[in-house]
Amino acid sequence: MKRPATALLALLLVAPLSFAVSPDVALARSVTTAHLEGVLPDGSAYVIDVPANWNGTVLLYSHGYLPDGVPNPARNAPSDDVRTSLLAAGYAQVGSSYPETGWVVEQALPAQLSALDEFRARFGTARRTIAWGTSMGGMITTGLAERYSQGFDGTVTMCGLEQGAVANWNNSLDTMFAIRTLLAPGSTAPLVRLPDQATALASTVELTTALDAAQATAQGRARIALAAALRNIPAWTNPAQPEPDANDHDTAQRNQFEVLREFLKTGLSWRQEAEEHAGGNMSWNTGADYDRMFAHSAIRQEVEELYARSGLSLRDDLAALASAPRVTADPTAVGYMSRNISFTGRLTMPMVSIHTTGDPLVPVQVEHAYDEAVSDASRSRLLRQAYVHRAGHCTFTAGEMLAAVRTLEGRISTGRWPDTRPATLNRLAAESDPGVTHGYLTYRPAPYPRPFDLPR
């Protein structure tokens, strides 16, 4: 559905941002709307859009993960609707494709900086530069914030992997490990050190077969829920379906089963591709305390209820996880993923981070991990996190995304955070995107199961 841009434009014309305009910006404003596409020296495609009424702000957009073999055009906005609304409001937008698909964080950061350089070469230095991105692009945006802060005035991360790369792959391993241990005992299907896609596919088929068989029994469904709990897969995962009642554990478990089935379908394939970049296995579960992780899980009550009904012993299954042979990591691969990329929390500019509460791919608890890193670095004054009550990964309305941008701009303009309570964010979203239900709410995510912060 197309999102109307008229309200957003009117609002920003009524309350324009106040800043001095450089000669380069003034020149850019005098030209008609520009749409430019090209290729960067690293082979990345880039795309730039500059409106005739450029307001002096440029938004650098980082897109999410694309598996190997899929089309990889340059993107400079989360959606066509958002791009259109922002152009109407006077925002310039730029982004690249990155030089490759897959886990290309190492190449993506310099590609994005090069795309921004291309913009500056064509249109001059913007008065204000904001980085923003979705999913893996949120991780890339956070990387730009922590490592290249001199080039930006602020950042907006949306549904990002804010737990960092090492924590992401560790927790993915936890889930695979639980599925193999509990649903396919005795299986030797490799979970790491996957030499090729054929090996990844063979493991996927074996584990999916076990998952499907388990779903047919009460005992299997309880164990599937336990595997989901180690990843905090939410009860409501599909925005096209109604949210289950709080005590409807059967619907919640069925939703989590479907997510885990897709997780198996893609997880090992993506891991194999990432291991090629890292030069080995970047994950470990030596020392992982699955009892403790379960105790802090957001869906603990569901699991306990399903185990009580199944007749199985939850204590025995947790003991089985504790005693199963563990997986060790390759230090060089861990080092690669630490560089590409894990976080220190040392922000030097304001950041707004938004996440849906029912995200099945990047569970909302990743925000807790980054909040802890920022707090440990004594930079909490620079971070504001907001949550949208909706299922799905990156399923924000255009208005919700634009409200995050406007909130960040208020902080940049005044040096103080504006009101970031849900009612205010929903009002901003409605002003930008009327006629649509917006879902900001008060929310505090549970701890992330396996946080990993770089030494500070």
Side-chain angles (χ1 to χ4, degrees), residues 226 323 376:
L226 176 54
S323 62
D376 289 347

Side-chain angles (χ1 to χ4, degrees), residues 38-355:
V39 178
L40 299 170
D42 66 3
S44 303
Y46 70 85
V47 59
I48 296 172
D49 286 297
V50 180
N53 63 325
W54 184 28
N55 64 16
T57 295
V58 60
L59 298 170
L60 176 68
Y61 175 70
S62 298
H63 70 73
Y65 180 89
L66 294 173
D68 285 344
V70 304
N72 184 28
R75 295 167 171 80
N76 64 0
S79 70
D80 290 341
D81 291 343
V82 172
R83 180 188 301 104
T84 299
S85 294
L86 288 169
L87 285 172
Y91 290 89
Q93 298 165 80
V94 58
S96 79
S97 63
Y98 322 144
E100 300 177 54
T101 51
W103 192 269
V104 290
V105 177
E106 179 181 19
Q107 297 91 340
L109 270 69
Q112 288 294 83
L113 295 173
S114 292
L116 193 57
D117 288 341
E118 189 69 27
F119 172 86
R120 290 166 177 154
R122 301 293 189 100
F123 298 98
T125 301
R127 176 63 180 86
R128 179 172 292 157
T129 302
I130 293 172
W132 70 329
T134 49
S135 195
M136 190 177 78
M139 169 185 276
I140 291 165
T141 298
T142 303
L144 292 171
E146 289 199 358
R147 298 188 178 183
Y148 300 98
S149 59
Q150 68 277 9
F152 301 94
D153 298 286
T155 57
V156 175
T157 68
M158 299 174 286
C159 50
L161 284 77
E162 300 301 285
Q163 77 277 46
V166 174
N168 171 67
W169 291 111
N170 272 349
N171 193 228
S172 295
L173 172 63
D174 295 329
T175 311
M176 295 288 189
F177 182 80
I179 290 172
R180 189 180 69 178
T181 301
L182 299 176
L183 306 183
S187 171
T188 58
L191 306 180
V192 300
R193 300 183 180 93
L194 303 164
D196 49 43
Q197 284 292 310
T199 303
L201 177 60
S203 284
T204 297
V205 170
E206 180 177 340
L207 295 178
T208 300
T209 300
L211 186 78
D212 289 346
Q215 184 64 14
T217 70
Q219 292 79 13
R221 290 191 291 273
R223 286 170 168 155
I224 290 171
L226 176 54
L230 298 181
R231 191 169 174 80
N232 277 320
I233 297 174
W236 187 29
T237 59
N238 185 344
Q241 297 175 352
E243 181 179 11
D245 292 336
N247 294 319
D248 185 358
H249 300 315
D250 292 323
T251 299
Q253 190 278 335
R254 185 167 60 250
N255 291 343
Q256 291 151 358
F257 161 72
E258 295 294 343
V259 170
L260 285 175
R261 206 172 192 281
E262 186 65 23
F263 177 73
L264 287 173
K265 179 180 176 182
T266 59
L268 289 171
S269 173
W270 294 358
R271 174 178 286 276
Q272 191 277 329
E273 182 275 328
E275 286 185 349
E276 287 189 354
H277 282 280
N281 171 37
M282 56 282 187
S283 306
W284 69 91
N285 65 355
T286 50
D289 186 342
Y290 291 123
D291 283 65
R292 184 176 184 276
M293 288 167 58
F294 172 70
H296 290 91
S297 174
I299 64 168
R300 175 180 175 177
Q301 182 180 356
E302 171 199 330
V303 176
E304 291 174 339
E305 171 64 24
L306 291 174
Y307 265 87
R309 280 198 253 150
S310 74
L312 288 176
S313 166
L314 176 57
R315 183 188 298 273
D316 287 350
D317 278 355
L318 288 169
L321 290 176
S323 62
R326 297 302 178 99
V327 177
T328 59
D330 301 323
T332 56
V334 175
Y336 177 90
M337 283 297 172
S338 294
R339 297 189 300 274
N340 301 289
I341 188 172
S342 292
F343 302 123
T344 66
R346 293 175 182 167
L347 292 174
T348 59
M349 70 184 77
M351 172 186 287
V352 174
S353 184
I354 64 175
H355 217 111

